Amino acid sequence: MNFKTYSAMALSTLMMVGCAGNKQEHQNPLFVASDAKYGIEKYDQITAADFREAILLGMQQQNEAIAAIVACAEEPTFANTIEAYDQSDAYFDKVSSIFSCISSSNSTEELRALQTELQPILSAHGDAITFNKELFARIKKVYDMYYGEEKNAEAPELTHEQMTCLKKVYKSFAKSGAELNDEQKEKLAALNLEIGKLQLQFRQNLLHETNNTFVTVDTREELAGLPEANIEAAAKMAKEQGQEGKYMFNMQRPSCNPVLQFCSNRDVRKKVYDAYYNRGNQGNEWDNKAISAKLVKLRLERAKLFGYNSAAEQILSDRMAKNSENVYNLLDQVWKPAVAKANEELADIRVEMKKDGLDCEPEGWDYMYYSSRAKAAKFAIDEAELAQYFEINNVLKGIFYVANKLHGLTFKEITGQVPTYEPTAQTWEVYKDGELYSIFYNDYFPRESKGAGAWMSELRSQNYDANGRTINIVQNVCNMTAPTGDGPALQNMDNVETMFHEFGHAMHYMLHDVKYRHCYNVERDFVELPSQINEHWATEPEVLEVYAKHYQTGEVIPAELLKKLDESGKYGQGFATVEYVAASLVDLDLHVLTEVPENLDVMAFEQEVLKKRGIPRQIFPRYRVTNFSHTMGGGYTAGYYSYMWAEVLDCDAFEAFKESGDIFNPELAKSFRENCLAKGGIDEGMEMYKNFRGKEPSVDALLRKRGLK
């Protein structure tokens, strides 16, 4: 059946189903222009059925636009082929973006069912476009006019962004299988369908495991050392789960991490540790071992279909790193000093354990607890005292201060004046030079419907229309420590840096000034530069004096505490670096395989490759394979190294500000904004970086920052 016909039929059928038996007429908010401020969609009124109808309509509209391109009697040009294709998914992209954002941050059973239902339809839609021979023939004809062996000297001149758009459109088709024969295309479509289905199932399994794996503690005495706010949150969770009088922890980091860091009860720490690291590895219906192994196998099959030896070879070919050898070279430079530093930290942990009368070797569930004690002993720093200076609203003021000093952004809160998908989210107008530039939603607190971790996404992309540059809607979603009762939402330093990190992503997209969709995104291993460089300002004294204020007295963080914070900043970097690099290595090791064993045991594979590299047995990778959504859920497949790759860039880039003597140097900020933020993916990542820095980056600044050199 022709897919375009299927989409139209499905849309018609679903619309009839949606109306059947509905006594009150419901108008799909995605079918009409919103009368809300800035035309923001009424997110809280959109149902799963609305999303279904709108996404199917979006596919139908794109199919019609592509049919018009193919039917065009004129010779292919940039305007009638490349630009027309680039804009063909305008409505589809709009509704898909909203669906993606809401289903990640406010998931429901209905939305998860819809994701499962739509996945094969979306996969087939994408393949049908890629495999459209007439469309690709027109695209290739335009490409050959400008990039082919016999360029047409009389071809109309294109702008730099148009040339990039042309190249990216052509390469996206070639990389997606447009040049394969019919038999290969049929096999590729089947692989894409199965991989997409498994990645979605992996993510949904992990969401369930994270929010529905609990450790229950019977008495308050068993939680000795845990801060009062965390005890209250655990009591609240237990009450919500029908266990009033007890204390429960799920596997969201704000719930379980404080136990590992502060609770003196070793048995409780072990239970939480085992539950957290074994998400997706419990032999139940949400187990991800078989899914992970099958994904590794299918990704390799897909790569070989294109003539590559491994999935990593295929994936890295258009990244900054280019190949796995360059990635391993970077990770190896960091791995050895990180392991050495982690072993030094273990020696400190053994000293602390002996103070408690423990002569046994440290275990994984001892690491965070005794490392925190060792840090406190070395630097006389109290994490609970420190958190009193990091109230979440004050931290946000610090984030806005940096954005203003660097890029001239100002913020006006409009919470309650515009629609939102979640009552606890805040909304802001973002101005640059007096002009409205973006809308920002911050959604900071955990809930069952929200995925684990932290991320940035766009509810609406920046574009151009008849009136010029359009404003986008950017969303930061995190799982910060929530307030309990009338208490404040006090954060640890890790949460503070996460907030700065995700806002760095947000600022990158707020400042986008891009006309063509295919020029919008940067390489995966460049995308973390804007986020990670923003973390550097979080711990600068000038910035801390702005936001690090005691939640009760308003007193700015004392100079002596600032000094301790600075001195202790590098402590624990052995553990942090090893757990991150370990995950990066496992991700890459799985995807450089040129043959996959028939009965691949992903957990045994993980253990074996890390043991050979000398990882301390007390440290697991930051994410184990069965809960490693970055790679198994898609997005960062063979690319988790990107954070470290980008850290080389961000440390080297921030050093430019430090060398200038002004961390807000206006000329450097302007250069970074114009070369690395506003352009999106118009230029390649390394070219953008060198245009800013004037040279290629060095790993030395990263090693110094982490205390590894």
Side-chain angles (χ1 to χ4, degrees):
M1 182 182 288
N2 178 278
F3 188 74
K4 177 182 173 183
T5 305
Y6 174 79
S7 295
M9 288 173 59
L11 175 64
S12 174
T13 301
L14 286 164
M15 282 182 168
M16 288 190 289
V17 170
C19 295
N22 191 352
K23 295 179 181 178
Q24 290 186 335
E25 185 179 351
H26 170 76
Q27 188 173 31
N28 190 330
L30 295 168
F31 283 174
V32 294
S34 172
D35 58 3
K37 197 172 187 178
Y38 307 124
I40 295 176
E41 278 71 21
K42 296 176 181 178
Y43 305 124
D44 59 332
Q45 296 180 18
I46 305 172
T47 66
D50 293 335
F51 276 125
R52 181 190 290 111
E53 292 175 352
I55 289 170
L56 289 169
L57 177 62
M59 287 190 288
Q60 180 186 353
Q61 288 183 354
Q62 186 175 23
N63 286 333
E64 290 169 354
I66 288 169
I69 296 170
V70 170
C72 180
E74 299 174 1
E75 280 293 301
T77 65
F78 179 86
N80 69 24
T81 300
I82 305 302
E83 186 170 32
Y85 170 69
D86 183 76
Q87 299 299 316
S88 67
D89 67 341
Y91 180 74
F92 180 47
D93 178 72
K94 168 188 167 180
V95 297
S96 297
S97 295
I98 298 170
F99 176 60
S100 176
C101 289
I102 293 179
S103 60
S104 297
S105 56
N106 247 9
S107 178
T108 63
E109 186 176 341
E110 291 77 17
L111 290 179
R112 289 192 292 276
L114 181 58
Q115 285 178 310
T116 302
E117 177 190 340
L118 288 178
Q119 188 278 321
I121 300 174
L122 293 171
S123 180
H125 176 69
D127 286 339
I129 294 171
T130 298
F131 301 158
N132 186 318
K133 294 178 181 179
E134 294 83 3
L135 175 63
F136 182 61
R138 290 184 66 91
I139 289 169
K140 190 174 189 306
K141 194 162 187 178
V142 182
Y143 178 82
D144 287 343
M145 287 169 59
Y146 293 92
Y147 288 104
E149 292 181 5
E150 298 180 8
K151 298 178 185 177
N152 185 347
E154 297 180 0
E157 185 176 352
L158 301 180
T159 66
H160 177 53
E161 184 177 354
Q162 288 173 333
M163 289 289 284
T164 300
C165 179
L166 168 57
K167 182 165 59 176
K168 288 194 170 188
V169 167
Y170 172 78
K171 287 190 173 181
S172 72
F173 272 76
K175 274 189 72 81
S176 299
E179 296 175 312
L180 299 176
N181 62 39
D182 290 344
E183 183 181 347
Q184 290 170 323
K185 286 177 180 176
E186 186 177 348
K187 184 175 181 181
L188 177 60
L191 286 169
N192 287 339
L193 179 63
E194 185 69 3
I195 288 170
K197 182 177 74 173
L198 290 171
Q199 289 179 167
L200 175 60
Q201 187 180 351
F202 183 99
R203 295 193 301 269
Q204 292 187 346
N205 284 353
L206 179 57
L207 177 66
H208 183 278
E209 288 278 272
T210 299
N211 289 325
N212 296 284
T213 299
F214 296 98
V215 170
T216 304
V217 176
D218 293 329
T219 66
R220 187 185 184 93
E221 289 71 28
E222 294 173 87
L223 300 176
L226 194 63
E228 185 62 32
N230 298 108
I231 294 175
E232 290 177 11
K236 180 182 177 184
M237 185 176 291
K239 184 177 180 180
E240 291 170 351
Q241 295 298 321
Q243 297 287 319
E244 188 168 5
K246 296 186 179 182
Y247 305 86
M248 293 181 73
F249 305 89
N250 67 10
M251 295 305 110
Q252 289 279 6
R253 282 182 178 262
S255 178
C256 63
N257 265 16
V259 178
L260 298 175
Q261 185 174 1
F262 297 113
C263 184
S264 62
N265 188 316
R266 201 164 182 241
D267 289 338
V268 171
R269 292 202 310 270
K270 183 180 187 304
K271 289 176 184 176
V272 169
Y273 181 88
D274 288 343
Y276 179 81
Y277 281 105
N278 282 303
R279 289 173 298 155
N281 182 32
Q282 302 190 73
N284 54 22
E285 62 184 293
W286 299 283
D287 195 279
N288 276 332
K289 289 193 290 294
I291 292 173
S292 302
K294 194 166 185 181
L295 279 169
V296 174
K297 181 176 181 293
L298 294 175
R299 287 166 179 170
L300 176 59
E301 282 186 41
R302 183 167 61 183
K304 287 188 173 182
L305 199 59
F306 285 87
Y308 293 98
N309 294 312
S310 70
E313 184 180 350
Q314 179 187 28
I315 292 165
L316 296 174
S317 62
D318 61 356
R319 302 282 169 86
M320 290 179 73
K322 301 303 181 188
N323 56 61
S324 58
E325 182 181 352
N326 290 334
V327 177
Y328 280 124
N329 181 51
L330 167 64
L331 297 178
D332 287 344
Q333 288 184 69
V334 179
W335 177 255
K336 292 176 184 177
V339 169
K341 182 64 71 173
N343 283 322
E344 289 178 20
E345 293 165 4
L346 276 168
D348 293 343
I349 287 170
R350 291 185 184 97
V351 170
E352 290 299 318
M353 290 179 70
K354 284 184 178 179
K355 293 178 183 177
D356 287 350
L358 295 171
D359 290 325
C360 56
E361 185 66 6
E363 299 295 343
W365 48 91
D366 296 317
Y367 209 109
M368 286 181 66
Y369 177 70
Y370 285 107
S371 179
S372 294
R373 276 193 18 185
K375 181 178 179 179
K378 277 179 176 288
F379 304 102
I381 192 164
D382 183 339
E383 298 283 353
E385 178 191 6
L386 197 59
Q388 296 178 47
Y389 292 90
F390 296 143
E391 192 275 326
I392 199 164
N393 293 301
N394 284 337
V395 176
L396 189 59
K397 290 176 184 176
I399 289 170
F400 288 169
Y401 173 82
V402 171
N404 177 257
K405 291 279 283 185
L406 283 173
H407 304 301
L409 300 180
T410 56
F411 302 83
K412 178 183 177 183
E413 185 168 8
I414 54 170
T415 303
Q417 300 176 34
V418 292
T420 185
Y421 61 92
E422 162 58 34
T424 62
Q426 295 173 290
T427 318
W428 309 80
E429 293 171 337
V430 185
Y431 293 89
K432 179 166 173 53
D433 301 325
E435 176 188 352
L436 182 66
Y437 228 66
S438 188
I439 303 296
F440 174 58
Y441 283 75
N442 61 280
D443 175 3
Y444 284 146
F445 300 125
R447 54 181 175 271
E448 285 191 17
S449 59
K450 183 189 288 188
W455 62 90
M456 186 284 306
S457 51
E458 288 186 292
L459 287 151
R460 180 196 295 167
S461 300
Q462 177 268 319
N463 208 328
Y464 269 79
D465 60 20
N467 298 315
R469 181 189 181 278
T470 62
I471 61 170
N472 57 348
I473 303 176
V474 183
Q475 172 198 44
N476 270 177
V477 183
C478 303
N479 283 282
M480 301 290 102
T481 302
T484 53
D486 296 329
L490 303 180
Q491 309 304 313
N492 59 28
M493 196 66 222
D494 183 59
N495 284 359
V496 170
E497 290 177 344
T498 296
M499 289 174 65
F500 271 82
H501 176 104
E502 295 306 333
F503 192 78
H505 281 307
M507 204 152 47
H508 184 193
Y509 283 83
M510 287 173 185
L511 292 168
H512 262 39
D513 192 8
V514 178
K515 182 175 182 180
Y516 297 102
R517 297 177 188 278
H518 282 81
C519 294
Y520 205 66
N521 294 319
V522 298
E523 298 104 311
R524 177 63 71 185
D525 43 10
F526 183 90
V527 76
E528 297 299 334
L529 166 61
S531 56
Q532 291 178 183
I533 193 172
N534 205 50
E535 293 180 45
H536 289 265
W537 279 275
T539 51
E540 285 294 312
E542 177 182 341
V543 180
L544 283 163
E545 288 174 8
V546 170
Y547 76 86
K549 298 179 179 179
H550 196 280
Y551 78 98
Q552 289 177 317
T553 67
E555 173 197 10
V556 174
I557 190 168
E560 60 271 21
L561 200 51
L562 263 181
K563 184 181 178 185
K564 291 176 184 177
L565 183 64
D566 180 60
E567 290 173 344
S568 65
K570 294 181 176 64
Y571 193 81
Q573 280 300 314
F575 171 83
T577 307
V578 167
E579 70 161 3
Y580 166 76
V581 177
S584 303
L585 288 167
V586 171
D587 169 35
L588 199 58
D589 288 344
L590 282 166
H591 292 102
V592 296
L593 291 174
T594 56
E595 297 293 337
V596 178
E598 188 63 34
N599 297 310
L600 173 65
D601 182 335
V602 292
M603 304 310 288
F605 180 91
E606 171 190 285
Q607 187 176 18
E608 182 181 351
V609 296
L610 293 176
K611 186 177 180 180
K612 285 180 180 177
R613 288 189 170 94
I615 189 172
R617 68 175 183 81
Q618 294 87 354
I619 305 178
F620 276 143
R622 183 172 178 84
Y623 302 104
R624 304 192 73 192
V625 176
T626 58
N627 48 65
F628 201 170
S629 187
H630 289 78
T631 183
M632 292 303 164
Y636 279 82
T637 302
Y640 192 60
Y641 76 89
S642 299
Y643 291 90
M644 186 66 69
W645 187 275
E647 192 172 348
V648 172
L649 303 179
D650 75 67
C651 290
D652 187 76
F654 189 69
E655 202 157 85
F657 286 90
K658 297 290 281 188
E659 288 168 354
S660 77
D662 179 3
I663 61 169
F664 294 110
N665 184 298
E667 291 303 314
L668 284 172
K670 180 182 179 184
S671 177
F672 188 75
R673 180 169 63 252
E674 292 179 349
N675 286 302
C676 297
L677 302 181
K679 283 189 173 183
I682 295 174
D683 292 329
E684 290 189 356
M686 189 56 75
E687 181 183 349
M688 290 193 287
Y689 186 81
K690 288 192 291 187
N691 287 341
F692 160 69
R693 191 69 162 105
K695 66 180 184 69
E696 290 196 358
S698 163
V699 73
D700 291 347
L702 177 149
L703 295 175
R704 284 194 294 273
K705 177 203 169 192
R706 287 183 172 255
L708 304 178
K709 182 175 181 179

